[in-house]
Each structure stands twice: as C-alpha cells, then as structure tokens.
Amino acid sequence: MTKKLILHWLNYSRSQRVVVLLEKLKVPYEIKVYERTKEFRAPKELEKIHPLGKSPVLEVIDESTNESQIITETGHIFNYLLKNFDKDHILTPTDAKQQDEVDYFLHYSEGTLQPLLVSLLVHGFAKTKAPFGTRFLMGLLVKGIDDQFYLPELFKNLSYLEEILKNQHEKGSSYFVGSQLTGADIILSFPLIVNLVENKRLDAFGTSDLEFAKRYPNIKKWAEFIVKLPDYVKAEEKVAKNKPITPNI
Ligand SMILES: N[C@@H](CCC(=O)N[C@@H](CS)C(=O)NCC(=O)O)C(=O)O
C-alpha cells in the first residue's frame, strides 16, 4: 500500500518541525503552503482541511483507494511518522525505556511547555493591541498575571530542561534522550530554539539574550548544535522562500 504524504504547513509556525522530521526520515512528501494573515493568524482555508484550522496537518492519502486520513497535533503526527516510517531506528532508540522518554517529550512539548509560551505571547499582543487609552492598564494587568503564574512556571520548566541537558552533556551526549537524535530534540526545537534562543524579543518571555545564555548555558549549547544538523538546515532551506520577512510580533 503506497501512501502519499501532504504536509499542510503554515509560515512562521511549529509545523516546521514536521519538515525536519520528514527530511531526517527521508520520507517523500509534498508541502502545501499557507500564509499567515496580517493579524498573524492562519488563513480560513486551513479550516477546510481540519475544523480547527491549525497547522501542522499531515494528510495521508492511500494511493490505491484514494482515501485520505487527516492527522493533527504535532506530537500525534510525530508518533504516526515514527511508528510507520522509522523501522530502521533513524530517530527511534532501540531501548524501550528511551522510547518512553521520547514519547514523554512528544507530549510534554505541546502539553506543558508550549502553552506557557503561547500565553506569554498572547499577553504581549494584549499589551500592544489594547484600545488606545487602556494600554497602560492592560500592561499592568497582564504583567500581574505573568509575574504570578506564567513566568515562574516558564523558568521552572527551563531549569528542569537545563538540568536534563547538563546531565546529558556530562555523559557526552548532545541530545535530550540517550546518545542519538530523536523526536524529542526535534519537537523541542520550536519552543526552545525558535521561540526562545532565536527570539530577538526575549523580553516577552521575561528575560534577555544575555541572561538566557547565562541561566541556561546547556539549552543554548544544545540549540547551537541542533540548528547546524544537515537535515535541520535542509528543512529551513526548503521553506526559505515562504519566510521572506521576520514577523514583527
Ligand atoms: N497543539 C497543536 C497546536 C497547533 C497550533 O496552534 N498551530 C498554530 C501554529 S504555531 C496555528 O495554526 N496558529 C494559527 C492560528 O491559530 O490562527 C499542535 O501541536 O499541532
């Protein structure tokens, strides 16, 4: 049974991780590009693929019957691709305990870490997009919430990840799990690398470039290593023409 894969990809989004995964697994796929609106939202067109209108969406077409399966949620997409296309353990550890650890990170990334970052990002929007005359008040309000909840939670998570990577680096591994690149590194690349390490406006996340590097040197070292991996670079090149400008968010 031959399957055709179509990745519904939104620019400047977490869907880029699926490109990295597909490149690494050397699975043939097509990319269908969606451009963000000027409000930085997904275009309505994505709702025709899945009612929630989010990206990534992986469409799997069975070429013998033309039936199509729609797979959403990055962690679920990763599990599907790893289960079906990684028989040679390119990204999947052979050790069962390490496989569980990878699975944990596939849930953790979207279930715990990303919601903190999205909340802080949306609060950043709230401060700048509030109706004129209310911005100062809005700023105070969201700062109160962020200081009390989201920032301490984010810092707690970053310290947790920093400690894991410190131990891994001490053992001579450059990766989150075991001694090879896994889905864990790829899924964490969006929150840790795109949202944090490469972010020019880190103040939205309660820190600065310098402070981040000082507090989380092992995350920084891991990020510098991951972005140089040939398949990470190839995945970036593949979509470069669809990311012509850095969004002002
Ligand atoms: N938990 C979902 C989140 C999907 C999601 O929120 N995607 C964002 C891209 S970063 C999106 O489509 N945003 C556009 C919008 O909400 O308008 C996943 O892991 O795939």
Side-chain angles (χ1 to χ4, degrees), residues 10 13-14 17 36 41-42 53-56 73-74 110 190:
L10 176 70
S13 83
R14 66 194 89 187
R17 294 175 289 192
R36 284 191 183 265
R41 298 301 311 267
K54 303 279 180 202
S55 175
E73 290 299 328
T74 314
E110 281 297 317
F190 184 71

Side-chain angles (χ1 to χ4, degrees), residues 16 19-26 29 91 175 181 186 223-239:
Q16 181 59 14
V19 184
V20 180
L21 188 72
L22 289 160
E23 285 297 328
K24 186 74 202 167
L25 294 177
K26 308 266 177 287
Y29 65 100
L91 284 168
Y175 309 102
L181 181 76
I186 301 177
E224 282 163 0
F225 175 75
I226 296 294
V227 296
K228 290 196 194 103
L229 294 175
D231 290 305
Y232 192 95
V233 175
K234 198 164 165 211
E236 279 296 313
E237 284 167 2
K238 204 138 194 172
V239 300

Side-chain angles (χ1 to χ4, degrees), residues 44-113:
K44 281 271 167 224
E45 208 190 335
L46 252 175
E47 287 178 16
K48 291 187 197 140
I49 308 299
H50 184 276
L52 297 183
K54 303 279 180 202
S55 175
V57 176
L58 184 70
E59 187 175 355
V60 182
I61 303 168
D62 178 338
E63 293 198 302
S64 57
T65 60
N66 230 12
E67 262 173 47
S68 129
Q69 182 183 356
I70 295 295
I71 307 174
T72 59
E73 290 299 328
T74 314
H76 183 43
I77 294 173
F78 268 52
N79 268 329
Y80 173 86
L81 288 172
L82 293 170
K83 191 169 83 192
N84 290 286
F85 297 95
D86 194 18
K87 308 282 186 223
D88 293 336
H89 294 272
I90 296 168
L91 284 168
T92 310
T94 45
D95 178 82
K97 190 166 162 272
Q98 288 180 5
Q99 284 174 12
D100 275 346
E101 280 174 45
V102 173
D103 220 22
Y104 160 75
F105 282 115
L106 297 186
H107 289 276
Y108 165 82
S109 180
E110 281 297 317
T112 296
L113 184 57

